[in-house]
């Protein structure tokens, strides 16, 4: 099963959906991990830190998203920066991230049309 992480396109976003330490645990659990080149740079994780934990560094975000079984995101898939990520998502893809569906209704409508399964981590109820 392939887990993919692409670079976040929002101009002020510095976070990455998967850090090398967690990536290492997932690789040891048997997952294939694909990280877009530069995805972790804003958070202080260079491509080399992902290579050390046996993640594949990809230069083509479209191919990476299209091959993903699970797509991890910080923000909803976007159409920013000349990228149309929603168009790349396959119907069988599971998307996990802070999608903020009430703040991004157009993005959620477009995502729903792909047939993908989305889990918005900010909408999961918690109990303290």
């Amino acid at each position: 099963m392939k887990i993919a992480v692409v670079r976040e396109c929002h101009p002020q976003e510095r976070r990455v959906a998967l850090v090398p330490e967690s990536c290492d645990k997932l690789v040891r659990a048997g997952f294939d991990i694909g990280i877009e080149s530069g995805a972790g740079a804003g958070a202080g994780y260079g491509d080399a830190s992902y290579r050390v934990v046996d993640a594949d560094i990809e230069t083509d975000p479209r191919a990476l998203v299209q091959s993903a079984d699970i797509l991890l995101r910080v923000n909803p898939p976007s159409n920013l920066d000349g990228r149309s990520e929603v168009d790349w998502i396959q119907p069988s893809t599971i998307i996990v991230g802070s999608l903020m569906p009430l703040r991004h209704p157009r993005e959620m409508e477009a995502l729903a049309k792909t047939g993908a399964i989305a889990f918005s981590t900010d909408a999961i109820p918690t109990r303290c």
Side-chain angles (χ1 to χ4, degrees):
M1 182 166 280
K2 184 167 185 174
I3 298 174
V5 175
V6 293
R7 179 177 48 86
E8 297 291 328
C9 293
H10 296 282
Q12 301 302 321
E13 186 59 73
R14 299 182 58 81
R15 296 173 292 172
V16 63
L18 189 61
V19 299
E21 180 183 352
S22 297
C23 186
D24 182 44
K25 292 175 185 177
L26 291 167
V27 168
R28 285 189 279 129
F31 290 93
D32 293 323
I33 308 293
I35 307 283
E36 181 183 359
S37 181
Y45 300 107
D47 291 349
S49 63
Y50 288 100
R51 282 190 191 98
V52 168
V53 295
D54 293 327
D56 295 322
I57 303 301
E58 308 279 342
T59 57
D60 182 356
R62 180 183 191 131
L64 181 59
V65 170
Q66 289 177 333
S67 68
D69 296 300
I70 301 172
L71 177 61
L72 300 181
R73 300 281 312 164
V74 172
N75 296 294
S78 63
N79 288 316
L80 298 172
D81 201 25
R83 296 161 61 133
S84 183
E85 295 174 30
V86 172
D87 294 337
W88 306 341
I89 296 170
Q90 302 301 305
S92 60
T93 304
I94 298 169
I95 301 161
V96 180
S98 182
L99 305 176
M100 298 176 278
L102 297 177
R103 291 185 187 173
H104 303 282
R106 282 180 283 175
E107 290 87 344
M108 293 303 100
E109 184 178 325
L111 190 56
K113 289 178 182 176
T114 69
I117 299 167
F119 292 96
S120 186
T121 56
D122 57 288
I124 298 172
T126 60
R127 225 174 135 175
C128 295

